[in-house]
Structures are given as C-alpha cells and as structure tokens.
Amino acid sequence: MGRLARPMRPAAAGPKTEGGAAAAWTVRALASAVLLGCGMLSLASGPAAAQPGPSVTTVPGAAGAAVPEYRLGPGDVVRITVYQNPDLTLETRLTEAGLVSYPLLGSVMLGNLSVSAAEQRIAEGLRNGNFVRQPQVTLAVLQVRGHQVSVLGQVNRPGRYPLETGDLRLTDALALAGGVTPGGSDVAILMGTRDGRPFREEIDVPGLFAPNGRDRVRLLRHGDTVFIDRQPLAYIYGEVQRPGPMRLERGMTLMQALATGGGLTARGTERGIRVHRRAADGSTAVLQPGLDERLRDGDVVFVRESLF
C-alpha cells in the first residue's frame, strides 16, 4: 500500500518531534474517519435509502361509505358447505320465518343475516356442539327471492327483480328492466316504505346523470316499486302539415310544436292560434298564447285557416 501523504505544517510552526508528528497524524486520521462515518450514516438514513413500507392496495371509491351487505330473506335458495366435510353440504330454501334445517343443528335462523354472519352462526353451532373442531363454512346464495323490487310501466321488461346487493340503485333497476321505452317518461315514480310510512317520490332520471346528480342516494329497498309513466303528449290539428299527437319535450314552446308538426300549410296562419288546456277540475280553457309560451301535457293546439 502506498504511504499516506502527511498534511503540510504551516511555515510559522516550530519544529516537532517525530512522536508529536505521529500523534498529530493519528488525531487527524481519527477525525477524518469520524466525519466519513457520519456522512455514511446520513446517507444511509436519507430518503434514498429508506426501507419501503408495506404495500397497500387502494381501491377507487373505497374511502366512501361502506356498501351494505345483502341480507338473507324468506325464499332465498342457499348452498352451505363445510371444508373437508362433504356430508354437511346442504342446498335449501329459507322458510317464511327465515329458518333452515341443517344437519346436526336442526333449525337455524338465518333470515335477515348477512352471508358472513350466517356462515359464522353455522360455524359456531358446529364448534359448540363438538361436531367439527375448526369448521370452515361457506354459504352461497343461489337464488334471491326474499328481497325484490318491481319495475313497471313503460320499460322493455317489466317485472320483479331480485335485490341481490345492498346498494342497488334506481338506474340499476331500470337497466335490469331493459331501459325505458321510446314512449316512456323521463320521470320515474319510486314508491315504497321508509321508517314504517308510505314513501313516494318523483325522480328526474336524466337529472341523475348531471354533474350534480344524486344517483348515489337513490338506493332501493325490499318491496319498492319503480313506475315509468307514458311520455307527456301534446296534440296539434288544423292547418299544419302533420297533425296528430306529438311527444312533449322538456320546455317545448308553441313555436317548436308547430315545427314538429311540419309547419303551417299554405292556408295556415300564425294569427289566432288557440290552445285548449284542461284544468284541474276537468274544465277546458281556450287560450291564445304567444309563440314562445311553453306547452303542457295534454294541450291541444288548433291552427286556423287564413282568411286572405
């Protein structure tokens, strides 16, 4: 190994003995080693050398409210299996009281329990009865009958649909029913029971998809009914190209209705157009609105013939 070069002494320093020079070099070497060790320590403890922590998988939306689990109901068909105990496999239907008859345990109440809670109840029964030392129970819902919602009216597949999850939304139910027909309204009527009282709400379906829509709070419950009424209609006759009923779009004005009817004929006139509107008491009022006035459901527009 090569010899380390000694640091040069200042010119003003007096002569030193050989032992003093060796001692000075030793002090300087120890100081350099300490400084180098501190530097290595600071490098090792810096961000670049930090040990990675445990990996965490982040699920989008997981920070929100927890999704409620589906709860078993009367009529649900379930399959119960116990690991390494094939003789305890059972496929059965919950009774109206929410009971199942399970081997070795007899009648077990599973109604209104989540799947995980039902698995735990059966496992505790097998463990407490000393039938299985460490039972691993799996319950699968094969058919949902206990919790259903009805979708009626102007939809492609009206009927009853299972409430398989605890977060079924109104839009999900409409999708299960095949969507709204071309003759259906944009407003859905939701009826059911909330807190023991009858519940009814009219919901603007396109508004659910607006930037400030509240689709997340439109959760359905067992026994709810979703009804889609027919589309609002207006009627036009007289001197127009295409007389007859027309779909009343949102905010449709009298001028837009005339355009939908193909416009006026050669003998038609915009003067003296009459709108027949039915009041709440059943009477009919004859109005002469402006072209920019909005029409209502059931309005009848009459276009007169020009006298000149």
Side-chain angles (χ1 to χ4, degrees), residues 80-82 100 102-103 105 108 110 117-128 135 137-139:
I80 305 171
T81 58
V82 182
V100 296
Y102 193 72
L105 301 182
V108 181
L110 299 183
E119 294 172 345
Q120 184 177 358
R121 175 164 296 185
I122 295 176
E124 289 177 353
L126 296 174
R127 187 185 306 109
N128 296 337
V137 180
T138 302
L139 186 145

Side-chain angles (χ1 to χ4, degrees), residues 70 76 141-151 159-169 172-173 176-177 220-223:
Y70 173 76
D76 287 352
V141 181
L142 303 181
Q143 197 173 26
V144 176
R145 292 297 184 193
H147 299 277
Q148 294 184 336
V149 296
S150 300
V151 185
R160 301 184 66 186
Y161 292 90
L163 196 65
E164 297 181 350
T165 61
D167 61 340
L168 184 71
R169 300 174 296 179
D172 297 331
L176 291 174
L220 303 184
R221 299 183 183 180
H222 169 58

